Amino acid sequence: MHIIFQVLTKQIQDAINASFPKAALNARKEGSFLNPQLVQASKPEFGDFQMNGALTLSKILKKPPREIAEIIVIQLKKNKDFNNICLAPEIAGPGFINLTIKNSCLKKELTSRLNDDLLGVPQAKDEEENKQLKPIIVDFSSPNIAKEMHVGHLRSTIIGDSIARILKFRGHQVLRLNHVGDWGTQFGMLITHLKNVAPEALTTANFVNLGDLVDFYRQAKKNFDEDQYFQKCSREEVVKLQQGNQESIKAWKLLCNQSRNAFQKIYNRLDIKLDERGESFYNPFLKDVIDELSKLGLLIKDNGAQCVFLNEIKGKDGNPLGIIVQKSDGGFNYATTDLAAIRYRLNDLPNGDGAGRIIYVTDAGQSNHFASVFQVAKLANWIPKDCKVEHVPFGLVQGEDGKKLKTRSGETIRLKDLLDEAIDRAKIDIERRLKEEGRKESLDFIEKVSSTIGISAVKYADLSQNRITNYQFSFDRMLSLQGNTAPYLLYALVRIAGINRKGGEIKNFNNKLDFNNEQEWKLAREILKFDEVILEVEEQLLPNRLCNYLFELSQAFNRFYDHIPILKASEPSKSSRLVLCRLTEKTLKKGLNLLGISTLERM
Ligand code: ARG
């Protein structure tokens, strides 16, 4: 109902301006306006929308808010277009104006959605006429070479993917960038270790499997900590790598490739697409960053290191936070790379322009890091006026005991094992259900259903939490058929699709919907909220809003389904109800797809 909302906002604005011309003019002179403050109604009894503006206007106009509301309503009622959309407005409480959309208008909206794959969601590119929309970058997943891709990366991957999907659906050009940690001093020890354990890898053109790179990393680290000679070689190796020594580069590429393959397996299972643009990509620009900051007079030498001190952000001691951009040995760090990256992304993308919005999805532990990077970028004037940079933080993944997620033996959980377990458990559930229902299904069917449910459950459990809070990982909860879970929604969808199949083609539907039941209207209104929810997620980057909506939609559907006959109803009710079923299916499917969740025909 976004379009309706916009039209109403404009109509109310006009009514306010016409009712209080002097105040409107004064406001305009000050560069502001008399804001109607129209919002979604907080309760169904209040109608569809409520206007809260009269309360604020009361201070400006020095009149009681109810009186103001009455004047506005009289003015509104004079507008024929308004009367076509809304029933007579009701004034409630101290001066709220409650608006209820007319059934005829809702019916028109519903019918228009039947053939609209965008389900009423306006396209960003159409909103900004004549203006080339700048692309949006979503920087997510971003694991580190030769290290474990841990649950934190899993969260980033799932949340980032969903945000990227939603923005694309809104009509934005989206770059999904994997800022892989593929550079840094750790490569000195990794290459030295490689030369020790698999020297043939550097001379043969054949593939040499280095085995599990996480173990490889552990071994390298152990040698580094225990063996002085190894340490010396590693330091020299870093220098060689930075100078572009061919053999070192070859070793580095080999390590990156094998890690990349391991990450790719996880991405394939999760159906996630990413473009890798790792830290090494920004190497050529690091020096420019330092030079430019220096020219701007932002650098201060502190204990040999080059730092920027940020008055706007205070460190633990209450003094301006200092961030190191070049270490005393001349080396660069994580922050330097992010500065080079933000500068490049905002100004030098291959499209000749920069991104209009950059979204970084990482754990909340990196909040200070990003706040400082953004602040330095601001001081250096790298952020054009129309661009937005945002850190999208998320909390920790905890076990059911509220502590850091670990295996029973206390090790960190591997993502592969975690996904396997979700699928295994889903499979046990399905086999039990089939047995109970006396159904026989093929092995392929069982495999497909359990893998879809397992993966969806993991994704949905993550997405349905407000990302800011820590979240407790529980297989039992996420796989349950009850509550706000993926299996519940997938099951609801299968049921609705079944009704739709049985309903066949809607024959007697000639754009005339016929509803006379409360549950029908409730479901219709719920369906029509979809566009507004998408716009909200685009703005606030909280996919859990979409999850909640889909859950509410399927609950509204269930109440509808429980209370009134659909297939057994007589015409014209049957066709009208089937339209609601179609739209519910379409909306649920689209919503789940935007969360990165694959749906099933049968379960
Ligand atoms: N590699 C980092 C980590 O594992 C995440 C990188 C996030 N993106 C960025 N531009 N800093 O924590």
Side-chain angles (χ1 to χ4, degrees):
M1 284 201 261
H2 180 68
I3 304 284
I4 299 183
F5 175 77
Q6 280 182 320
V7 171
L8 281 179
T9 307
K10 168 92 182 42
Q11 290 174 344
I12 301 174
Q13 185 71 67
D14 291 347
I16 294 177
N17 292 349
S19 311
F20 312 106
K22 253 206 218 127
L25 192 69
N26 284 341
R28 206 171 313 135
K29 276 191 202 143
E30 286 164 22
S32 84
F33 63 105
L34 305 179
N35 191 345
Q37 298 180 33
L38 188 69
V39 295
Q40 298 263 355
S42 51
K43 281 187 194 156
E45 314 70 291
F46 299 159
D48 293 299
F49 298 109
Q50 65 191 60
M51 188 203 109
N52 300 338
L55 281 78
T56 328
L57 289 178
S58 140
K59 284 180 212 113
I60 302 171
L61 300 165
K62 311 220 161 32
K63 273 194 206 336
R66 264 195 97 93
E67 200 178 304
I68 294 174
E70 274 156 22
I71 300 175
I72 297 173
V73 166
I74 292 172
Q75 188 67 32
L76 266 176
K77 282 189 183 158
K78 289 187 200 155
N79 183 344
K80 234 176 51 219
D81 294 333
F82 173 83
N83 295 326
N84 280 335
I85 301 179
C86 282
L87 298 176
E90 273 174 29
I91 298 172
F96 303 112
I97 302 179
N98 293 342
L99 299 174
T100 303
I101 308 293
K102 278 189 169 167
N103 291 350
S104 55
C105 181
L106 292 176
K107 285 179 186 172
K108 229 175 35 222
E109 278 289 303
L110 285 171
T111 1
S112 76
R113 290 208 184 175
L114 268 176
N115 294 313
D116 175 13
D117 288 335
L118 296 169
L119 293 163
V121 173
Q123 291 294 282
K125 53 176 182 285
D126 300 336
E127 287 166 5
E128 312 247 326
E129 283 165 47
N130 310 322
K131 223 176 112 196
Q132 172 77 30
L133 259 194
K134 288 182 167 196
I136 301 183
I137 290 179
V138 187
D139 173 323
F140 70 106
S141 194
S142 311
N144 303 312
I145 296 293
K147 287 200 194 157
E148 190 79 71
M149 186 168 168
H150 52 68
V151 281
H153 295 122
L154 180 70
R155 277 207 98 175
S156 169
T157 307
I158 294 171
I159 296 172
D161 174 59
S162 172
I163 288 177
R165 282 171 190 258
I166 292 167
L167 294 172
K168 174 140 185 275
F169 183 63
R170 262 281 284 155
H172 290 285
Q173 186 198 338
V174 180
L175 277 73
R176 314 165 136 251
L177 296 188
N178 202 357
H179 191 84
V180 173
D182 64 353
W183 199 254
T185 46
Q186 75 275 24
F187 281 94
M189 77 185 190
L190 288 167
I191 296 174
T192 307
H193 187 56
L194 174 70
K195 286 183 170 173
N196 286 346
V197 298
E200 72 281 10
L202 292 175
T203 50
T204 166
N206 295 336
F207 178 77
V208 175
N209 188 353
L210 299 175
D212 186 308
L213 275 193
V214 177
D215 289 339
F216 186 95
Y217 189 99
R218 242 179 250 140
Q219 263 309 317
K221 178 90 174 65
K222 187 158 180 271
N223 293 346
F224 186 87
D225 291 340
E226 291 170 1
D227 180 347
Q228 292 226 331
Y229 179 68
F230 187 97
Q231 230 177 69
K232 180 169 161 284
C233 295
S234 302
R235 296 226 165 82
E236 289 165 4
E237 207 43 78
V238 176
V239 179
K240 278 205 244 164
L241 181 66
Q242 280 167 350
Q243 288 167 345
N245 174 292
Q246 289 223 333
E247 201 186 43
S248 310
I249 294 278
K250 189 168 180 192
W252 170 69
K253 282 197 177 147
L254 204 87
L255 291 159
C256 291
N257 263 334
Q258 299 210 8
S259 240
R260 189 174 293 131
N261 290 343
F263 297 152
Q264 193 55 45
K265 281 192 191 137
I266 301 273
Y267 294 141
N268 289 346
R269 292 183 81 177
L270 295 172
D271 187 24
I272 304 271
K273 306 234 172 349
L274 275 152
D275 289 319
E276 184 174 328
R277 199 179 280 168
E279 297 193 22
S280 63
F281 177 88
Y282 302 99
N283 277 342
F285 314 116
L286 296 174
K287 217 187 136 290
D288 293 355
V289 165
I290 306 294
D291 289 348
E292 203 175 324
L293 294 179
S294 161
K295 255 195 225 127
L296 290 166
L298 291 169
L299 291 187
I300 292 176
K301 236 195 177 125
D302 191 33
N303 281 321
Q306 295 284 7
C307 304
V308 183
F309 285 92
L310 300 167
N311 291 319
E312 297 74 10
I313 307 175
K314 298 277 182 268
K316 283 196 193 104
D317 51 7
N319 293 324
L321 185 74
I323 70 162
I324 300 179
V325 291
Q326 187 165 28
K327 294 185 279 188
S328 52
D329 65 3
F332 304 113
N333 58 19
Y334 187 51
T336 329
T337 306
D338 260 323
L339 286 172
I342 201 170
R343 181 169 173 266
Y344 179 88
R345 290 166 174 185
L346 287 170
N347 303 290
D348 306 314
L349 286 183
N351 69 354
D353 200 352
R357 187 176 186 189
I358 312 181
I359 292 163
Y360 298 82
V361 189
T362 78
D363 62 282
Q366 301 199 33
S367 295
N368 257 337
H369 163 75
F370 284 108
S372 352
V373 167
F374 298 166
Q375 189 55 32
V376 175
K378 201 169 135 201
L379 293 175
N381 244 327
W382 293 336
I383 311 182
K385 262 206 288 316
D386 55 345
C387 294
K388 239 186 0 196
V389 293
E390 288 162 278
H391 179 218
V392 168
F394 53 79
L396 300 173
V397 184
Q398 300 169 321
E400 282 178 89
D401 53 3
K403 296 200 188 115
K404 213 174 151 194
L405 191 66
K406 292 238 163 74
T407 61
R408 283 214 186 84
S409 53
E411 288 155 55
T412 46
I413 291 194
R414 298 196 169 194
L415 291 192
K416 179 187 168 302
D417 298 338
L418 186 142
L419 297 178
D420 283 344
E421 179 159 356
I423 294 172
D424 287 346
R425 288 183 182 229
K427 194 170 168 186
I428 295 172
D429 278 355
I430 290 159
E431 283 169 340
R432 198 199 44 229
R433 200 155 42 83
L434 291 178
K435 208 164 157 194
E436 278 166 15
E437 292 170 12
R439 266 164 71 190
K440 273 245 161 326
E441 295 286 357
S442 70
L443 277 180
D444 272 0
F445 174 87
I446 297 176
E447 288 301 321
K448 171 149 198 299
V449 173
S450 37
S451 103
T452 304
I453 294 188
I455 302 277
S456 304
V458 172
K459 284 192 181 184
Y460 192 84
D462 198 328
L463 291 166
S464 57
Q465 297 287 319
N466 181 324
R467 58 175 164 74
I468 318 277
T469 50
N470 294 345
Y471 117 81
Q472 288 194 354
F473 192 96
S474 156
F475 283 117
D476 286 337
R477 216 174 314 140
M478 68 177 69
L479 285 163
S480 162
L481 266 173
Q482 255 90 56
N484 189 4
T485 66
Y488 171 85
L489 289 175
L490 289 174
Y491 194 69
L493 184 59
V494 164
R495 222 162 48 138
I496 301 167
I499 299 170
N500 283 331
R501 260 198 310 274
K502 281 193 206 124
E505 211 185 309
I506 308 179
K507 287 193 202 72
N508 297 319
F509 178 65
N510 42 9
N511 284 1
K512 281 202 201 70
L513 289 168
D514 173 70
F515 300 139
N516 38 37
N517 185 294
E518 191 193 338
Q519 301 301 336
E520 290 171 309
W521 284 114
K522 283 197 171 147
L523 178 57
R525 288 193 146 84
E526 207 55 48
I527 291 171
L528 292 176
K529 280 186 196 157
F530 179 72
D531 51 0
E532 205 64 61
V533 173
I534 295 298
L535 290 167
E536 207 183 294
V537 181
E538 172 186 24
E539 159 116 7
Q540 303 172 352
L541 306 175
L542 290 170
N544 62 306
R545 281 287 299 120
L546 177 56
C547 296
N548 287 344
Y549 166 73
L550 295 178
F551 185 52
E552 278 160 22
L553 175 64
S554 50
Q555 284 180 313
F557 181 85
N558 284 346
R559 282 190 291 270
F560 159 84
Y561 179 80
D562 289 343
H563 281 86
I564 47 179
I566 301 168
L567 295 171
K568 290 199 180 113
S570 53
E571 293 291 4
S573 292
K574 179 175 166 189
S575 291
S576 293
R577 287 173 193 169
L578 277 173
V579 166
L580 288 181
C581 293
R582 294 281 140 99
L583 286 175
T584 307
E585 178 182 354
K586 215 166 139 174
T587 309
L588 266 181
K589 232 191 209 149
K590 185 47 120 205
L592 287 169
N593 167 276
L594 292 177
L595 295 170
I597 288 178
S598 337
T599 54
L600 291 160
E601 294 280 305
R602 291 193 308 128
M603 268 169 88

